[in-house]
PDB file of all heavy atoms in Angstrom:
ATOM      1  N   LYS A 705    -120.107 200.331 162.968  1.00 94.00           N
ATOM      2  CA  LYS A 705    -120.308 201.340 161.922  1.00 94.00           C
ATOM      3  C   LYS A 705    -121.320 200.788 160.898  1.00 94.00           C
ATOM      4  O   LYS A 705    -122.326 201.302 160.458  1.00 94.00           O
ATOM      5  CB  LYS A 705    -119.002 201.846 161.309  1.00 94.00           C
ATOM      6  CG  LYS A 705    -119.232 203.096 160.532  1.00 94.00           C
ATOM      7  CD  LYS A 705    -117.890 203.520 159.940  1.00 94.00           C
ATOM      8  CE  LYS A 705    -116.890 203.852 160.827  1.00 94.00           C
ATOM      9  NZ  LYS A 705    -115.533 204.403 160.263  1.00 94.00           N
ATOM     10  N   TYR A 706    -121.006 199.465 160.422  1.00 96.00           N
ATOM     11  CA  TYR A 706    -121.815 198.968 159.402  1.00 96.00           C
ATOM     12  C   TYR A 706    -123.239 198.442 159.860  1.00 96.00           C
ATOM     13  O   TYR A 706    -124.185 198.541 159.246  1.00 96.00           O
ATOM     14  CB  TYR A 706    -121.091 197.702 158.794  1.00 96.00           C
ATOM     15  CG  TYR A 706    -119.808 198.133 157.984  1.00 96.00           C
ATOM     16  CD1 TYR A 706    -118.608 197.561 158.149  1.00 96.00           C
ATOM     17  CD2 TYR A 706    -120.021 199.099 156.944  1.00 96.00           C
ATOM     18  CE1 TYR A 706    -117.493 197.906 157.354  1.00 96.00           C
ATOM     19  CE2 TYR A 706    -118.849 199.475 156.141  1.00 96.00           C
ATOM     20  CZ  TYR A 706    -117.744 198.843 156.436  1.00 96.00           C
ATOM     21  OH  TYR A 706    -116.618 199.218 155.652  1.00 96.00           O
ATOM     22  N   VAL A 707    -123.172 198.003 161.078  1.00 96.00           N
ATOM     23  CA  VAL A 707    -124.474 197.540 161.739  1.00 96.00           C
ATOM     24  C   VAL A 707    -125.461 198.906 161.943  1.00 96.00           C
ATOM     25  O   VAL A 707    -126.687 198.850 161.534  1.00 96.00           O
ATOM     26  CB  VAL A 707    -124.304 196.899 163.061  1.00 96.00           C
ATOM     27  CG1 VAL A 707    -125.661 196.759 163.886  1.00 96.00           C
ATOM     28  CG2 VAL A 707    -123.572 195.580 162.901  1.00 96.00           C
ATOM     29  N   LEU A 708    -124.867 199.960 162.496  1.00 96.00           N
ATOM     30  CA  LEU A 708    -125.714 201.173 162.705  1.00 96.00           C
ATOM     31  C   LEU A 708    -126.132 201.717 161.148  1.00 96.00           C
ATOM     32  O   LEU A 708    -127.332 202.210 161.129  1.00 96.00           O
ATOM     33  CB  LEU A 708    -124.879 202.181 163.352  1.00 96.00           C
ATOM     34  CG  LEU A 708    -124.786 202.027 164.864  1.00 96.00           C
ATOM     35  CD1 LEU A 708    -124.031 203.133 165.458  1.00 96.00           C
ATOM     36  CD2 LEU A 708    -126.194 202.082 165.436  1.00 96.00           C
ATOM     37  N   MET A 709    -125.309 201.524 160.269  1.00 97.00           N
ATOM     38  CA  MET A 709    -125.586 202.135 158.846  1.00 97.00           C
ATOM     39  C   MET A 709    -126.818 201.271 158.331  1.00 97.00           C
ATOM     40  O   MET A 709    -127.555 201.761 157.702  1.00 97.00           O
ATOM     41  CB  MET A 709    -124.459 202.037 157.873  1.00 97.00           C
ATOM     42  CG  MET A 709    -124.727 202.742 156.658  1.00 97.00           C
ATOM     43  SD  MET A 709    -125.230 204.432 156.666  1.00 97.00           S
ATOM     44  CE  MET A 709    -123.683 205.210 157.131  1.00 97.00           C
ATOM     45  N   GLY A 710    -126.742 199.985 158.487  1.00 97.00           N
ATOM     46  CA  GLY A 710    -127.864 199.131 158.007  1.00 97.00           C
ATOM     47  C   GLY A 710    -129.182 199.430 158.773  1.00 97.00           C
ATOM     48  O   GLY A 710    -130.216 199.505 158.063  1.00 97.00           O
ATOM     49  N   ILE A 711    -129.161 199.635 160.026  1.00 97.00           N
ATOM     50  CA  ILE A 711    -130.353 199.939 160.899  1.00 97.00           C
ATOM     51  C   ILE A 711    -130.766 201.357 160.331  1.00 97.00           C
ATOM     52  O   ILE A 711    -132.021 201.532 160.199  1.00 97.00           O
ATOM     53  CB  ILE A 711    -130.052 199.902 162.378  1.00 97.00           C
ATOM     54  CG1 ILE A 711    -129.716 198.606 162.715  1.00 97.00           C
ATOM     55  CG2 ILE A 711    -131.221 200.556 163.064  1.00 97.00           C
ATOM     56  CD1 ILE A 711    -129.197 198.418 164.213  1.00 97.00           C
ATOM     57  N   TYR A 712    -129.840 202.212 160.079  1.00 98.00           N
ATOM     58  CA  TYR A 712    -130.274 203.592 159.584  1.00 98.00           C
ATOM     59  C   TYR A 712    -130.983 203.502 158.263  1.00 98.00           C
ATOM     60  O   TYR A 712    -132.049 204.299 158.099  1.00 98.00           O
ATOM     61  CB  TYR A 712    -128.848 204.428 159.517  1.00 98.00           C
ATOM     62  CG  TYR A 712    -129.071 205.892 159.188  1.00 98.00           C
ATOM     63  CD1 TYR A 712    -129.577 206.618 160.159  1.00 98.00           C
ATOM     64  CD2 TYR A 712    -128.763 206.415 157.937  1.00 98.00           C
ATOM     65  CE1 TYR A 712    -129.776 208.077 159.889  1.00 98.00           C
ATOM     66  CE2 TYR A 712    -128.927 207.704 157.714  1.00 98.00           C
ATOM     67  CZ  TYR A 712    -129.438 208.608 158.672  1.00 98.00           C
ATOM     68  OH  TYR A 712    -129.496 209.913 158.443  1.00 98.00           O
ATOM     69  N   ILE A 713    -130.447 202.782 157.378  1.00 98.00           N
ATOM     70  CA  ILE A 713    -131.018 202.663 156.050  1.00 98.00           C
ATOM     71  C   ILE A 713    -132.521 202.096 156.123  1.00 98.00           C
ATOM     72  O   ILE A 713    -133.477 202.571 155.537  1.00 98.00           O
ATOM     73  CB  ILE A 713    -130.200 201.868 155.107  1.00 98.00           C
ATOM     74  CG1 ILE A 713    -128.878 202.687 154.771  1.00 98.00           C
ATOM     75  CG2 ILE A 713    -130.942 201.436 153.784  1.00 98.00           C
ATOM     76  CD1 ILE A 713    -127.824 201.915 153.974  1.00 98.00           C
ATOM     77  N   ILE A 714    -132.723 200.983 156.896  1.00 98.00           N
ATOM     78  CA  ILE A 714    -133.980 200.430 157.152  1.00 98.00           C
ATOM     79  C   ILE A 714    -134.910 201.330 157.791  1.00 98.00           C
ATOM     80  O   ILE A 714    -136.142 201.540 157.395  1.00 98.00           O
ATOM     81  CB  ILE A 714    -133.857 199.024 157.979  1.00 98.00           C
ATOM     82  CG1 ILE A 714    -132.998 198.079 157.186  1.00 98.00           C
ATOM     83  CG2 ILE A 714    -135.121 198.606 158.484  1.00 98.00           C
ATOM     84  CD1 ILE A 714    -132.717 196.897 157.980  1.00 98.00           C
ATOM     85  N   ASN A 715    -134.437 202.163 158.826  1.00 98.00           N
ATOM     86  CA  ASN A 715    -135.232 203.169 159.383  1.00 98.00           C
ATOM     87  C   ASN A 715    -135.602 204.282 158.447  1.00 98.00           C
ATOM     88  O   ASN A 715    -136.883 204.626 158.408  1.00 98.00           O
ATOM     89  CB  ASN A 715    -134.405 203.752 160.613  1.00 98.00           C
ATOM     90  CG  ASN A 715    -135.337 204.728 161.344  1.00 98.00           C
ATOM     91  OD1 ASN A 715    -136.423 204.508 161.565  1.00 98.00           O
ATOM     92  ND2 ASN A 715    -134.757 205.778 161.829  1.00 98.00           N
ATOM     93  N   CYS A 716    -134.789 204.610 157.637  1.00 97.00           N
ATOM     94  CA  CYS A 716    -135.184 205.662 156.603  1.00 97.00           C
ATOM     95  C   CYS A 716    -136.132 205.204 155.665  1.00 97.00           C
ATOM     96  O   CYS A 716    -137.123 206.021 155.438  1.00 97.00           O
ATOM     97  CB  CYS A 716    -133.863 206.077 155.868  1.00 97.00           C
ATOM     98  SG  CYS A 716    -132.701 207.052 156.856  1.00 97.00           S
ATOM     99  N   LEU A 717    -136.032 204.013 155.057  1.00 98.00           N
ATOM    100  CA  LEU A 717    -137.113 203.460 154.250  1.00 98.00           C
ATOM    101  C   LEU A 717    -138.344 203.263 154.941  1.00 98.00           C
ATOM    102  O   LEU A 717    -139.456 203.657 154.356  1.00 98.00           O
ATOM    103  CB  LEU A 717    -136.535 202.261 153.679  1.00 98.00           C
ATOM    104  CG  LEU A 717    -135.402 202.281 152.782  1.00 98.00           C
ATOM    105  CD1 LEU A 717    -134.871 200.805 152.351  1.00 98.00           C
ATOM    106  CD2 LEU A 717    -135.791 203.019 151.440  1.00 98.00           C
ATOM    107  N   ALA A 718    -138.435 202.854 156.215  1.00 97.00           N
ATOM    108  CA  ALA A 718    -139.684 202.562 156.843  1.00 97.00           C
ATOM    109  C   ALA A 718    -140.280 203.901 157.138  1.00 97.00           C
ATOM    110  O   ALA A 718    -141.599 204.142 156.981  1.00 97.00           O
ATOM    111  CB  ALA A 718    -139.420 201.874 158.162  1.00 97.00           C
ATOM    112  N   LEU A 719    -139.500 205.013 157.527  1.00 96.00           N
ATOM    113  CA  LEU A 719    -139.982 206.347 157.789  1.00 96.00           C
ATOM    114  C   LEU A 719    -140.700 206.936 156.510  1.00 96.00           C
ATOM    115  O   LEU A 719    -141.773 207.516 156.603  1.00 96.00           O
ATOM    116  CB  LEU A 719    -138.975 207.213 158.437  1.00 96.00           C
ATOM    117  CG  LEU A 719    -139.285 208.559 158.861  1.00 96.00           C
ATOM    118  CD1 LEU A 719    -140.394 208.419 160.005  1.00 96.00           C
ATOM    119  CD2 LEU A 719    -138.089 209.230 159.286  1.00 96.00           C
ATOM    120  N   ILE A 720    -140.021 206.697 155.394  1.00 96.00           N
ATOM    121  CA  ILE A 720    -140.558 207.225 154.140  1.00 96.00           C
ATOM    122  C   ILE A 720    -141.924 206.461 153.781  1.00 96.00           C
ATOM    123  O   ILE A 720    -142.930 207.140 153.408  1.00 96.00           O
ATOM    124  CB  ILE A 720    -139.582 207.097 152.879  1.00 96.00           C
ATOM    125  CG1 ILE A 720    -138.363 207.946 153.131  1.00 96.00           C
ATOM    126  CG2 ILE A 720    -140.361 207.213 151.689  1.00 96.00           C
ATOM    127  CD1 ILE A 720    -137.284 207.664 152.298  1.00 96.00           C
ATOM    128  N   ILE A 721    -141.914 205.221 153.947  1.00 96.00           N
ATOM    129  CA  ILE A 721    -143.131 204.454 153.572  1.00 96.00           C
ATOM    130  C   ILE A 721    -144.360 204.822 154.482  1.00 96.00           C
ATOM    131  O   ILE A 721    -145.503 205.126 154.076  1.00 96.00           O
ATOM    132  CB  ILE A 721    -142.930 202.957 153.636  1.00 96.00           C
ATOM    133  CG1 ILE A 721    -141.933 202.606 152.414  1.00 96.00           C
ATOM    134  CG2 ILE A 721    -144.163 202.114 153.507  1.00 96.00           C
ATOM    135  CD1 ILE A 721    -141.412 201.184 152.589  1.00 96.00           C
ATOM    136  N   ILE A 722    -144.028 204.854 155.900  1.00 95.00           N
ATOM    137  CA  ILE A 722    -145.116 205.218 156.768  1.00 95.00           C
ATOM    138  C   ILE A 722    -145.644 206.669 156.587  1.00 95.00           C
ATOM    139  O   ILE A 722    -146.833 206.876 156.713  1.00 95.00           O
ATOM    140  CB  ILE A 722    -144.695 204.926 158.156  1.00 95.00           C
ATOM    141  CG1 ILE A 722    -144.627 203.380 158.456  1.00 95.00           C
ATOM    142  CG2 ILE A 722    -145.568 205.616 159.162  1.00 95.00           C
ATOM    143  CD1 ILE A 722    -144.186 203.068 159.853  1.00 95.00           C
ATOM    144  N   ALA A 723    -144.702 207.614 156.331  1.00 93.00           N
ATOM    145  CA  ALA A 723    -145.115 208.929 156.073  1.00 93.00           C
ATOM    146  C   ALA A 723    -146.100 209.126 154.840  1.00 93.00           C
ATOM    147  O   ALA A 723    -147.022 209.869 154.745  1.00 93.00           O
ATOM    148  CB  ALA A 723    -143.866 209.814 155.906  1.00 93.00           C
ATOM    149  N   MET A 724    -145.754 208.191 153.772  1.00 94.00           N
ATOM    150  CA  MET A 724    -146.534 208.208 152.626  1.00 94.00           C
ATOM    151  C   MET A 724    -147.943 207.621 152.782  1.00 94.00           C
ATOM    152  O   MET A 724    -148.948 207.900 152.163  1.00 94.00           O
ATOM    153  CB  MET A 724    -145.835 207.624 151.476  1.00 94.00           C
ATOM    154  CG  MET A 724    -144.656 208.489 150.892  1.00 94.00           C
ATOM    155  SD  MET A 724    -143.630 207.680 149.743  1.00 94.00           S
ATOM    156  CE  MET A 724    -144.763 206.973 148.533  1.00 94.00           C
ATOM    157  N   LEU A 725    -148.033 206.664 153.778  1.00 93.00           N
ATOM    158  CA  LEU A 725    -149.437 206.064 153.928  1.00 93.00           C
ATOM    159  C   LEU A 725    -150.277 206.953 154.704  1.00 93.00           C
ATOM    160  O   LEU A 725    -151.521 206.603 154.661  1.00 93.00           O
ATOM    161  CB  LEU A 725    -149.053 204.756 154.722  1.00 93.00           C
ATOM    162  CG  LEU A 725    -148.361 203.635 154.020  1.00 93.00           C
ATOM    163  CD1 LEU A 725    -148.147 202.319 154.965  1.00 93.00           C
ATOM    164  CD2 LEU A 725    -149.291 203.100 152.939  1.00 93.00           C
ATOM    165  N   GLN A 726    -149.777 207.921 155.363  1.00 89.00           N
ATOM    166  CA  GLN A 726    -150.638 208.732 156.269  1.00 89.00           C
ATOM    167  C   GLN A 726    -151.696 209.540 155.411  1.00 89.00           C
ATOM    168  O   GLN A 726    -151.210 210.027 154.192  1.00 89.00           O
ATOM    169  CB  GLN A 726    -149.855 209.661 157.089  1.00 89.00           C
ATOM    170  CG  GLN A 726    -149.223 208.924 158.268  1.00 89.00           C
ATOM    171  CD  GLN A 726    -148.524 209.883 159.077  1.00 89.00           C
ATOM    172  OE1 GLN A 726    -148.519 211.127 159.003  1.00 89.00           O
ATOM    173  NE2 GLN A 726    -147.769 209.349 160.124  1.00 89.00           N
ATOM    174  N   SER A 727    -152.783 209.775 155.948  1.00 81.00           N
ATOM    175  CA  SER A 727    -153.683 210.646 155.141  1.00 81.00           C
ATOM    176  C   SER A 727    -153.529 212.033 155.608  1.00 81.00           C
ATOM    177  O   SER A 727    -152.947 212.471 156.598  1.00 81.00           O
ATOM    178  CB  SER A 727    -155.223 210.236 155.526  1.00 81.00           C
ATOM    179  OG  SER A 727    -155.441 210.451 156.955  1.00 81.00           O
ATOM    180  N   LYS A 728    -153.890 212.991 154.708  1.00 77.00           N
ATOM    181  CA  LYS A 728    -153.700 214.434 154.834  1.00 77.00           C
ATOM    182  C   LYS A 728    -154.756 214.958 155.782  1.00 77.00           C
ATOM    183  O   LYS A 728    -155.939 214.759 155.538  1.00 77.00           O
ATOM    184  CB  LYS A 728    -153.811 215.058 153.541  1.00 77.00           C
ATOM    185  CG  LYS A 728    -153.448 216.631 153.581  1.00 77.00           C
ATOM    186  CD  LYS A 728    -153.590 217.118 152.233  1.00 77.00           C
ATOM    187  CE  LYS A 728    -153.366 218.611 152.217  1.00 77.00           C
ATOM    188  NZ  LYS A 728    -153.602 219.285 150.966  1.00 77.00           N
ATOM    189  N   GLU A 729    -154.399 215.592 156.850  1.00 68.00           N
ATOM    190  CA  GLU A 729    -155.206 216.273 157.644  1.00 68.00           C
ATOM    191  C   GLU A 729    -155.476 217.756 157.273  1.00 68.00           C
ATOM    192  O   GLU A 729    -154.552 218.581 157.514  1.00 68.00           O
ATOM    193  CB  GLU A 729    -154.824 216.179 159.077  1.00 68.00           C
ATOM    194  CG  GLU A 729    -154.723 214.852 159.687  1.00 68.00           C
ATOM    195  CD  GLU A 729    -154.140 214.805 161.156  1.00 68.00           C
ATOM    196  OE1 GLU A 729    -153.974 215.845 161.745  1.00 68.00           O
ATOM    197  OE2 GLU A 729    -153.884 213.738 161.594  1.00 68.00           O
ATOM    198  N   ASP A 730    -156.572 217.962 156.569  1.00 60.00           N
ATOM    199  CA  ASP A 730    -156.681 219.286 155.916  1.00 60.00           C
ATOM    200  C   ASP A 730    -157.802 220.123 156.749  1.00 60.00           C
ATOM    201  O   ASP A 730    -158.856 220.277 156.254  1.00 60.00           O
ATOM    202  CB  ASP A 730    -157.210 219.045 154.523  1.00 60.00           C
ATOM    203  CG  ASP A 730    -157.053 220.401 153.750  1.00 60.00           C
ATOM    204  OD1 ASP A 730    -156.348 221.315 154.150  1.00 60.00           O
ATOM    205  OD2 ASP A 730    -157.703 220.497 152.622  1.00 60.00           O
ATOM    206  N   THR A 731    -157.402 220.631 157.829  1.00 60.00           N
ATOM    207  CA  THR A 731    -158.302 221.536 158.553  1.00 60.00           C
ATOM    208  C   THR A 731    -158.130 222.979 158.134  1.00 60.00           C
ATOM    209  O   THR A 731    -159.049 223.704 158.081  1.00 60.00           O
ATOM    210  CB  THR A 731    -158.102 221.391 160.139  1.00 60.00           C
ATOM    211  OG1 THR A 731    -156.882 221.629 160.512  1.00 60.00           O
ATOM    212  CG2 THR A 731    -158.452 219.954 160.555  1.00 60.00           C
ATOM    213  N   GLY A 732    -156.860 223.263 157.852  1.00 59.00           N
ATOM    214  CA  GLY A 732    -156.559 224.718 157.415  1.00 59.00           C
ATOM    215  C   GLY A 732    -156.830 225.690 158.340  1.00 59.00           C
ATOM    216  O   GLY A 732    -157.035 225.459 159.540  1.00 59.00           O
TER     217      GLY A 732
END
Side-chain angles (χ1 to χ4, degrees):
K705 197 181 291 187
Y706 291 129
V707 169
L708 282 178
M709 186 60 74
I711 295 171
Y712 187 72
I713 291 171
I714 292 170
N715 185 38
C716 289
L717 293 174
L719 188 59
I720 290 169
I721 291 169
I722 289 179
M724 289 175 47
L725 288 175
Q726 289 185 3
S727 63
K728 182 179 176 186
E729 295 179 9
D730 193 21
T731 56

